[in-house]
Amino acid sequence: MRLWLVVVCCCFFWLPLLAQAELLVKKQQFEIKEFQTQNGKTIQDLKVGWEAYGQLNADKSNVILITHYFSGTSHAAGKYQSTDAAPGYWDAIIGPGKAIDTNKFYVVSMDTLVNANVKDPNVITTGPASINPATGQPYGLSFPVVTITDFVEVQKAFLESKGIHTLYAVIGPSMGSFQAIEWASRYPDKVKRLIAAIGTAYIDSWSAVRLERWAEPIKADPNWQQGNYYGKAAQPTAGLITALAYITQDASNPEGFNQKYQSPALDQKAHLDIRTDLTAWQQLRQTAAARAALQDANHILYLVRASQLWRVGMQENWPQALAKISAKTLFLPASGDLLLTPEMSKNSQQLLQQAGNQAQLTEIPGQWGHLDGLLNIATVGEQIRTFLN
């Protein structure tokens, strides 16, 4: 968090901080009575949360959709209350006078289906922890497998309910980049600009199996009970905490990670007792435990699967689906990203260029790897501003 504050202050000085204090937002709810998923299943009474920043213009041509990352929410910028401890995750670039200028654009963000933070009072989502109207009980694993395409279709239904049929831009980091890319491929006539931060147009086998590391601790926890733990005293908390610890490490780069977490060389007890956990691991789990209080184990599993299955176009040949994108495109990989590597963004960019799209690419610098797409996004703020204008 300290690094994030330094980045914001150095790049934007005091004026945007005043603007930030003025950007108060309200969480709202969108509902679909009956939604059919990509795999043909039906979800009744689907609900997701949304929020917006700026003003919609008369012809509804100034809309920018922000699609959030794996463990994120719709809270991309501003605060719900002036007393909130911190603003939304991309507040450094979204707001009055910032790179994504809310004096000019109407910026919309939505909670995804199966949002991880289902226990957060500011999150509205439908997933395994939700009540199935047909049974009056939580869905559990009877909830259908959902995909990035399903996230996009819910967003499209919401926008159309507001009379919005084209997007000035769609922008998202990490899993949000998947959604942004799918938007531009699936609806090329509706998307004018695309920014894919710390992302890729596909997940390969290596990356998919790596993501399984986030699922296995949950499934191995005896309290997971095949996903049927709702309302029971025993909860898969230990597995969830371990999963979130792995997620944090995988999203980091050793350069930043080693500065935050204690060196094993200082662990005297670990030299004496094999049962003693490394201090760095204890620190990582403490951070994960705080996050676990707001998250649900099954929801993590569903997000993992949606990410594992990702490739643009989904059921199509993904390079062919990528070639459908006509939007002006900018990839923003993080230089030290070991999760969704810069090479994955560069490959996606090159395939787009081969299809005739003059896709651009700028790397986000920093020491935190994948997390630089959140913590260090302000360093490419001017590139974003120029691209949008």
Side-chain angles (χ1 to χ4, degrees):
M1 185 59 69
R2 186 174 300 169
L3 171 65
W4 183 86
L5 289 173
V6 169
V7 171
V8 174
C9 292
C10 288
C11 293
F12 292 98
F13 300 94
W14 55 270
L15 181 59
L17 294 181
L18 293 178
Q20 169 184 306
E22 298 170 357
L23 188 59
L24 295 179
V25 297
K26 178 183 178 182
K27 192 60 168 280
Q28 301 183 66
Q29 178 175 290
F30 173 65
E31 183 173 350
I32 301 176
K33 288 298 182 183
E34 189 171 284
F35 176 79
Q36 188 172 60
T37 66
Q38 188 189 22
N39 62 12
K41 304 296 184 180
T42 299
I43 301 173
Q44 303 286 346
D45 297 337
L46 181 154
K47 299 179 180 66
V48 291
W50 66 279
E51 54 195 83
Y53 328 99
Q55 298 295 321
L56 185 63
N57 62 11
D59 63 0
K60 302 181 180 180
S61 63
N62 69 334
V63 180
I64 292 180
L65 177 66
I66 305 294
T67 49
H68 68 70
Y69 57 99
F70 183 95
S71 57
T73 73
S74 67
H75 198 39
K79 294 184 175 183
Y80 296 122
Q81 306 289 337
S82 60
T83 54
D84 289 352
Y89 64 89
W90 261 3
D91 194 81
I93 57 169
I94 300 173
K98 298 181 184 179
I100 304 174
D101 190 352
T102 54
N103 289 330
K104 179 177 181 179
F105 299 113
Y106 182 64
V107 183
V108 179
S109 184
M110 300 181 68
D111 296 325
T112 62
L113 286 173
V114 299
N115 189 282
N117 305 277
V118 67
K119 299 175 186 176
D120 185 332
N122 289 314
V123 167
I124 304 170
T125 188
T126 300
S130 304
I131 299 299
N132 181 349
T135 65
Q137 299 297 320
Y139 279 100
L141 300 192
S142 70
F143 195 79
V145 172
V146 289
T147 66
I148 298 301
T149 298
D150 292 320
F151 299 171
V152 167
E153 289 301 318
V154 172
Q155 294 158 4
K156 179 173 177 284
F158 164 74
L159 292 170
E160 289 179 343
S161 76
K162 300 296 182 183
I164 298 169
H165 299 286
T166 59
L167 293 171
Y168 187 91
V170 57
I171 307 172
S174 192
M175 189 186 79
S177 80
F178 305 168
Q179 298 164 65
I181 292 169
E182 182 69 1
W183 256 105
S185 171
R186 195 170 180 84
Y187 300 108
D189 58 327
K190 297 182 181 295
V191 178
K192 296 180 179 179
R193 293 165 184 81
L194 161 66
I195 300 181
I198 52 173
T200 174
Y202 67 100
I203 290 291
D204 57 15
S205 297
W206 170 271
S207 302
V209 171
R210 186 171 186 171
L211 291 176
E212 191 65 26
R213 193 167 82 115
W214 302 0
E216 283 304 308
I218 292 171
K219 293 189 284 189
D221 188 330
N223 291 334
W224 179 56
Q225 304 167 78
Q226 293 297 303
N228 186 28
Y229 54 82
Y230 298 110
K232 297 182 179 179
Q235 295 286 301
T237 305
L240 176 59
I241 290 172
T242 300
L244 295 177
Y246 286 154
I247 290 170
T248 300
Q249 185 186 24
D250 287 348
S252 304
N253 181 282
E255 184 178 356
F257 189 91
N258 290 337
Q259 293 180 35
K260 182 173 181 179
Y261 297 98
Q262 182 173 298
S263 169
L266 301 177
D267 272 325
Q268 295 302 318
K269 291 183 179 180
H271 288 78
L272 303 174
D273 189 345
I274 195 68
R275 294 167 296 186
T276 300
D277 286 338
L278 294 175
T279 300
W281 178 241
Q282 293 174 5
Q283 292 173 321
L284 193 59
R285 283 182 61 85
Q286 286 170 1
T287 301
R291 295 173 59 196
L294 298 178
Q295 300 194 7
D296 178 78
N298 281 340
H299 281 233
I300 292 290
L301 297 181
Y302 275 73
L303 286 173
V304 166
R305 182 55 51 85
S307 298
Q308 288 173 318
L309 295 175
W310 162 244
R311 70 275 186 199
V312 61
M314 293 306 296
Q315 295 178 344
E316 299 180 48
N317 175 292
W318 75 263
Q320 291 179 3
L322 187 68
K324 295 179 180 179
I325 295 176
S326 59
K328 181 181 177 182
T329 301
L330 172 63
F331 288 94
L332 296 173
S335 297
D337 194 345
L338 302 177
L339 181 61
L340 299 177
T341 64
E343 288 70 25
M344 297 175 85
S345 286
K346 291 174 184 177
N347 186 35
S348 300
Q349 177 208 20
Q350 290 166 3
L351 286 171
L352 255 183
Q353 289 177 335
Q354 291 171 16
N357 186 310
Q358 296 181 344
Q360 305 169 42
L361 185 145
T362 297
E363 290 196 14
I364 304 169
Q367 62 179 357
W368 276 102
H370 194 68
L371 290 174
D372 281 320
L374 305 179
L375 302 176
N376 223 18
I377 192 65
T379 62
V380 293
E382 284 309 308
Q383 286 91 333
I384 294 172
R385 185 195 304 275
T386 299
F387 179 84
L388 291 176
N389 291 290

